[in-house]
Amino acid sequence: MTSAGQLIPAPRTTEGLGEGTLTLGADTTLWTADGTGTTERWLRATLGAAFGLPLRPGPRDAPGAVRLLLDDTLDAEAYRLTAGPDGGVEIRGGDAAGVFWGAQTLRQLLGPDAFRRAPVRPGTRPVLAHGTVEDAPRFRWRGLMLDVARHFMPKDGVLRYLDLMAAHKLNVFHFHLTDDQGWRVEIRKYPRLTGTGSWRARTKFGHRASPLWEEKPHGGFYTQDDIREIVAYAAERHITVVPEIDVPGHSQAAIAAYPELGNTDVVDTTTLSVWDSWGISPNVLAPTDTTQRFYEGVFEEVLELFPGEFVHVGGDECLKDQWRSSPAAQERIRELGLKDEDGLQAWFIGHFDRWLSARGRRLIGWDEILEGGLAPGAAVSSWRGYAGGVAAARAGHDVVMCPEQQVYLDHRQDAGADEPVPIGYVRTLEDVYRFEPVPGELTPEEARHVLGTQANVWTEVMEDAARVDYQAFPRLAAFAEVAWSALPAPAERDFAGFERRMTAHYARLDALGVAYRPPSGPRPWQRRPGVLGRPIEGPPPNR
């Protein structure tokens, strides 16, 4: 299969069946077994539109048919795609998701025109070489976190990113919905969360030390029907949506909407507004029963909207200065018999772990939730390097590895002066390709707690979708291969081969309209001259 050498992520095996090709045309039919309906609909909507193919239903043995079926000899999410000399295409999957991932591979094999929304060469029929691709993912959690709180992404942009995830066989969308700078999900019980909390008066342009401001309101939110649409759209693409509602830090937007949620005995919370700058706000939730009851009301509606196993509660970067100064917080520490403010945060997180567990869900949070103790069923997103993930796995907690120094895609891609708003360490395409999610010091038993890995896109300095594209791509393609493919040790990975395959992949991204960073550096309109960033020099720490 000649074009199989251009696939991203790299499949486990490919095998040619000799010379020959088959052509898809107006007479090509589509036969589907029970349980493959998501792929059937997707094929007609994408390949049908790209090539003007009707893909009408037909019998399984029709000459040249495309056939979709389940095969219980294959593992979950695994697939086998065969394009045979009989002129047909068959995709077998270990489950419905496997069939869908096989269809993603078929699309790549048909060339970049398969990624367009209408035919660009009318009358041209797509050609597929004979061969077989067998494939299965390394990890069950292959995630992308998108921050829509710092800069809001309208619903259509979110749906587009779900399509981009599917094209790269990523299957977990971590939806960062709340933060100091904005609350993005409608909660009907508390309308001021979006009425007040979803808009800020102005926005810092660049790093928080930048003197520049965008002097216009910024904001937006998703209605509950928007969320239902996003979740359903994701499910059609075998992507699970994990919502994040931040507690007890990163909560100034919520406190601006409902001042009683804050530490009213140390700050006049009625004067607070949705934060217009970046960094870590000192305004955190008060550790009271009232606050917990409020957020139970929030999570009740969140659970109705998001049916997945996990709910992310943040738990990171909770500055405790207000708790140290608050007589009420100090009384709560004494009342609960806690050691300190870290114990108070653990009590706060533990409450929601038990609350979610009682409703059949699992709590996941950033690795700070390990401080002060963690409930047995909770999982950890390890972002401050590998150490939190190692500690969590050794303690028997499931882990998603997403270390800032390796897979935070808001970090700059090059040290050049033309990089737009340079943040953090230089993380090149090759750096991401050589990222290893499973720390070598874990035993095989401990390593089984690593559910997978996730790339994170924080949007403080990404004011629109084109900036998100630039930071995410092409590095998200490298990350997707790390998450999916059975790669050798980092130093032994064939990055030169990956770059060669990216030559074909850039044409696919072009067809999709992705504003990626070119290998030669940013285009003139991708630069942000004069906008202050926060570059960090030197290699990032590995731990």
Side-chain angles (χ1 to χ4, degrees):
M1 190 174 282
T2 56
S3 52
Q6 299 175 336
L7 293 173
I8 289 178
R12 294 202 172 183
T13 66
T14 62
E15 182 180 352
L17 298 179
E19 297 293 328
T21 59
L22 63 92
T23 302
L24 306 183
D27 56 346
T28 300
T29 56
L30 178 62
W31 178 86
T32 60
D34 290 344
T36 64
T38 55
T39 303
E40 176 186 8
R41 291 186 288 274
W42 182 86
L43 281 173
R44 288 203 175 99
T46 53
L47 297 188
F51 295 116
L53 301 177
L55 293 175
R56 297 183 181 90
R60 180 173 180 173
D61 58 356
V66 176
R67 300 180 291 275
L68 310 177
L69 62 156
L70 302 178
D71 185 338
D72 60 11
T73 68
L74 299 173
D75 292 336
E77 295 195 272
Y79 68 87
R80 181 186 300 115
L81 184 156
T82 303
D86 65 346
V89 179
E90 181 176 275
I91 302 174
R92 292 175 174 266
D95 55 10
V99 177
F100 184 72
W101 305 133
Q104 298 297 327
T105 295
L106 173 63
R107 188 189 197 187
Q108 289 196 18
L109 292 171
L110 292 173
D113 284 356
F115 291 79
R116 297 191 179 274
R117 298 185 183 182
V120 293
R121 296 170 183 81
T124 300
R125 302 170 71 188
V127 176
L128 186 65
H130 294 168
T132 298
V133 179
E134 294 200 34
D135 206 2
R138 179 184 179 191
F139 293 110
R140 58 171 277 205
W141 186 301
R142 307 180 301 279
L144 172 68
M145 189 228 69
L146 181 63
D147 166 21
V148 296
R150 272 52 176 268
H151 276 101
F152 179 65
M153 181 177 284
K155 180 192 68 178
D156 283 354
V158 175
L159 299 179
R160 173 176 174 264
Y161 257 82
L162 292 169
D163 280 330
L164 290 172
M165 288 179 64
H168 293 83
K169 299 184 174 74
L170 298 172
N171 70 340
V172 178
F173 180 54
H174 177 165
F175 206 5
H176 185 80
L177 289 164
T178 74
D179 217 295
D180 299 307
Q181 296 84 4
W183 185 285
R184 305 296 180 214
V185 55
E186 177 189 21
I187 302 297
R188 290 174 177 167
K189 188 174 183 178
Y190 306 121
R192 294 206 305 273
L193 286 172
T194 48
T196 298
S198 69
W199 293 91
R200 56 181 183 262
R202 63 177 187 169
T203 297
K204 176 69 72 172
F205 191 27
H207 182 251
R208 59 181 174 272
S210 167
L212 303 176
W213 294 88
E214 187 178 40
E215 296 285 354
K216 68 178 184 180
H218 175 86
F221 66 93
Y222 310 103
T223 68
Q224 294 203 354
D225 280 348
D226 289 338
I227 293 292
R228 292 184 180 97
E229 180 183 357
I230 289 167
V231 170
Y233 195 87
E236 278 282 300
R237 286 146 184 81
H238 298 276
I239 296 171
T240 299
V241 183
V242 176
E244 181 178 354
I245 306 294
D246 246 312
V247 296
H250 286 288
S251 297
Q252 184 166 325
I255 297 168
Y258 291 90
E260 64 271 21
L261 298 175
N263 295 282
T264 58
D265 53 349
V266 294
V267 64
D268 182 2
T269 56
T270 63
T271 66
L272 296 177
S273 59
V274 177
W275 210 19
D276 56 13
S277 190
W278 315 126
I280 308 172
S281 170
N283 295 296
V284 302
L285 297 175
T288 64
D289 292 339
T290 298
T291 301
Q292 289 185 338
R293 297 296 88 72
F294 181 97
Y295 273 85
E296 286 173 4
V298 170
F299 283 118
E300 283 172 356
E301 296 191 29
V302 167
L303 296 189
E304 291 178 2
L305 297 169
F306 297 94
E309 177 183 5
F310 287 97
V311 175
H312 207 291
V313 300
D316 62 315
E317 298 180 325
C318 179
L319 298 181
K320 300 178 176 67
D321 294 344
Q322 290 185 355
W323 288 357
R324 293 186 185 97
S325 301
S326 164
Q330 292 302 309
E331 175 59 30
R332 178 49 62 98
I333 289 174
R334 289 189 292 273
E335 172 190 307
L336 295 171
L338 303 174
K339 180 181 178 181
D340 55 18
E341 290 78 16
D342 284 345
L344 192 57
Q345 175 166 334
W347 165 81
F348 199 101
I349 296 295
H351 171 83
F352 285 103
D353 179 72
R354 293 185 296 275
W355 190 91
L356 289 167
S357 294
R359 288 155 182 80
R361 305 298 184 90
R362 291 183 66 188
L363 178 146
I364 185 169
W366 303 110
D367 56 56
E368 286 95 328
I369 68 173
L370 289 163
E371 298 165 4
L374 184 58
V380 171
S381 301
S382 185
W383 76 275
R384 294 179 299 176
Y386 288 90
V390 170
R394 286 177 172 167
H397 296 286
D398 288 340
V399 178
V400 176
M401 296 302 303
C402 49
E404 174 185 19
Q405 303 91 333
Q406 312 299 330
V407 288
Y408 268 35
L409 301 185
D410 48 303
H411 282 213
R412 57 193 173 134
Q413 304 185 62
D414 189 89
D418 287 337
E419 289 303 309
V421 199
I423 299 296
Y425 295 102
V426 172
R427 292 286 81 192
T428 65
L429 182 66
E430 182 173 0
D431 290 331
V432 174
Y433 190 68
R434 297 193 189 280
F435 163 60
E436 172 49 49
V438 179
E441 60 263 46
L442 293 181
T443 67
E445 179 63 30
E446 292 165 346
R448 279 193 279 273
H449 285 291
V450 178
L451 299 178
T453 184
Q454 179 173 290
N456 294 340
V457 179
W458 300 101
T459 62
E460 288 94 336
V461 299
M462 302 180 210
E463 71 276 12
D464 55 32
R467 280 288 288 120
V468 175
D469 278 6
Y470 181 91
Q471 293 300 133
F473 289 97
R475 292 182 297 180
L476 193 64
F479 172 81
E481 185 149 309
V482 169
W484 176 277
S485 304
L487 297 177
E492 299 168 9
R493 293 177 187 172
D494 181 10
F495 179 68
F498 176 77
E499 283 189 302
R500 286 192 294 272
R501 285 183 286 123
M502 279 302 301
T503 301
H505 202 62
Y506 286 123
R508 300 173 192 134
L509 297 179
D510 286 333
L512 288 167
V514 177
Y516 58 85
R517 181 190 187 276
S520 58
R523 298 180 174 96
W525 57 87
Q526 293 174 320
R527 301 166 188 163
R528 296 293 184 274
V531 181
L532 186 66
R534 184 186 61 91
I536 303 175
E537 301 304 329
N542 284 327
R543 288 291 177 262

